[in-house]
């Protein structure tokens, strides 16, 4: 029962269901992404309020390039718009923004916004928001192995391997939330989820409210994390 009332240090979210949210309203998928941005701000406020240290948000996977160009472009312009617009809000709330994922095929425009967002919020010390962009868990592992090979490292263990991942200083997620009713990982954190508690909810991401977030926290607090051990009664 030691977990009761415990606030997870790191929550990761697969923000899914924007397209379906729009479709149900007879709108273009883009409107779902637009509404999804509001839900991001809500989640950041909530995470800060309850004292979560790290919030990772899966925003765009390496597989999402396979969507129509029009949708991909709209997602990236929303992102750039959001970063530029929300820097003051993030700074006021002492939030540090970080981006994780491959940067090689991002446009100059997107790269500039990312660098600016990170730079302007680097003093934020109450909550770190990690936006996973052009990210996939397998790509991250392969990138780590490439670095290891390049450096000619001859021996590796789990702890030293971690140092080659994108964000070695961020602890593994305690809780993963996926919205929209899908119950899969979709190539999100692959290495880091080894002992994460998983929570799936049918709520579509644009509808994900403070109350829904709180519900996920309650469920997390009722779980017994054993990490392979036997806990004393
Ligand atoms: C999640 O919503 C956002 C991204 C993947 C960028 P979706 O766009 O996947 O929404 P659904 O799953 O089609 O409803
Ligand atoms: C996962 O959602 C990626 C993000 C939320 C960014 P998808 O909608 O791409 O996942 P699948 O295709 O349903 O597995
Ligand atoms: Mg989806």
């Amino acid at each position: 029962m030691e977990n009761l009332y415990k606030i997870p240090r790191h929550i990761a979210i697969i923000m899914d269901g924007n397209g379906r949210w729009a479709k149900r309203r007879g709108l273009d998928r883009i409107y779902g992404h637009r509404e999804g941005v509001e839900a991001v701000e809500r989640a950041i406020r909530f995470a800060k309020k309850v004292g979560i240290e790290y919030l990772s948000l899966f925003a765009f996977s390496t597989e999402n390039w396979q969507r129509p160009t029009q949708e991909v472009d709209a997602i990236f312009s929303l992102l750039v718009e959001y970063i530029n617009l929300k820097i003051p809000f993030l700074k006021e709330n002492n939030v540090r923004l970080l981006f994780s994922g491959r940067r090689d095929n991002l446009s100059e425009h997107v790269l500039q916004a990312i660098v600016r967002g990170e730079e302007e919020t680097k003093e934020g010390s109450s909550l770190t928001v990690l936006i996973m962009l052009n990210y996939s868990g397998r790509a991250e592992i392969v990138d780590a192995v490439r670095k290891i090979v390049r450096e000619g490292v001859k021996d590796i263990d789990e702890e030293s391997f971690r140092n080659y991942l994108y964000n070695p200083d961020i602890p593994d997620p305690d809780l993963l939330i996926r919205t929209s009713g899908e119950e899969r990982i979709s190539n999100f954190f692959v290495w880091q989820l080894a002992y994460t508690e998983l929570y799936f909810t049918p709520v579509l991401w644009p509808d994900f409210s403070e109350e829904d977030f709180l519900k996920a926290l309650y469920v997390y607090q009722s779980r017994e994390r054993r990490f392979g051990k036997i806990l004393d009664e």
Side-chain angles (χ1 to χ4, degrees):
M1 275 305 179
E2 63 166 22
N3 223 20
L4 210 54
Y5 310 123
K6 256 203 188 148
I7 295 297
R9 274 188 86 188
H10 180 180
I11 296 184
I13 307 184
I14 301 178
M15 311 183 288
D16 198 13
N18 293 350
R20 278 163 282 172
W21 184 93
K23 209 172 156 201
R24 281 180 198 172
R25 286 164 179 76
L27 300 168
D28 192 274
R29 296 176 55 87
I30 314 284
Y31 289 93
H33 297 310
R34 201 161 262 291
E35 202 61 27
V37 171
E38 300 300 320
V40 169
E41 183 166 339
R42 211 154 51 225
I44 293 176
R45 282 185 198 281
F46 181 85
K48 159 118 207 241
K49 198 157 71 184
V50 297
I52 286 152
E53 285 176 64
Y54 302 93
L55 181 67
S56 315
L57 304 171
F58 201 7
F60 191 87
S61 74
T62 53
E63 288 79 16
N64 289 147
W65 291 107
Q66 297 167 72
R67 296 187 180 197
T69 325
Q70 193 204 7
E71 180 172 345
V72 171
D73 289 349
I75 291 172
F76 280 104
S77 26
L78 261 176
L79 181 92
V80 172
E81 187 189 314
Y82 180 81
I83 298 170
N84 292 329
L85 199 73
K86 294 300 173 183
I87 285 175
F89 155 76
L90 297 168
K91 282 166 100 169
E92 264 163 46
N93 283 280
N94 205 15
V95 173
R96 174 174 64 147
L97 196 59
L98 288 180
F99 290 86
S100 195
R102 284 186 176 162
R103 298 206 174 179
D104 48 4
N105 45 350
L106 298 180
S107 73
E108 202 46 50
H109 185 52
V110 172
L111 278 173
Q112 273 173 13
I114 285 179
V115 170
R116 182 164 169 249
E118 289 189 331
E119 186 56 32
E120 295 242 2
T121 62
K122 66 172 187 233
E123 310 289 346
S125 58
S126 77
L127 166 69
T128 296
V129 173
L130 193 64
I131 308 277
M132 319 294 287
L133 193 70
N134 193 18
Y135 174 86
S136 96
R138 286 186 177 176
E140 180 178 20
I141 292 172
V142 168
D143 286 351
V145 173
R146 282 181 180 156
K147 252 191 265 171
I148 291 166
V149 170
R150 247 192 337 260
E151 290 181 14
V153 176
K154 288 283 181 293
D155 194 20
I156 199 97
D157 59 20
E158 291 185 14
E159 273 324 295
S160 53
F161 183 79
R162 177 181 297 276
N163 292 325
Y164 292 91
L165 294 172
Y166 295 151
N167 305 94
D169 300 331
I170 297 185
D172 290 345
D174 300 294
L175 171 66
L176 170 82
I177 298 173
R178 182 173 188 149
T179 57
S180 90
E182 310 298 350
E183 302 191 352
R184 55 177 170 263
I185 301 304
S186 300
N187 214 349
F188 194 24
F189 285 134
V190 169
W191 176 270
Q192 295 88 338
L193 290 179
Y195 264 105
T196 302
E197 294 296 327
L198 308 179
Y199 177 82
F200 300 102
T201 169
V203 175
L204 301 176
W205 177 249
D207 291 327
F208 192 72
S209 65
E210 284 212 351
E211 216 178 323
D212 295 317
F213 207 150
L214 194 62
K215 217 189 294 175
L217 273 188
Y218 283 146
V219 169
Y220 170 81
Q221 289 172 334
S222 73
R223 303 261 179 97
E224 188 178 62
R225 302 185 76 188
R226 286 191 286 272
F227 300 99
K229 294 175 277 194
I230 294 169
L231 299 183
D232 292 335
E233 294 289 295

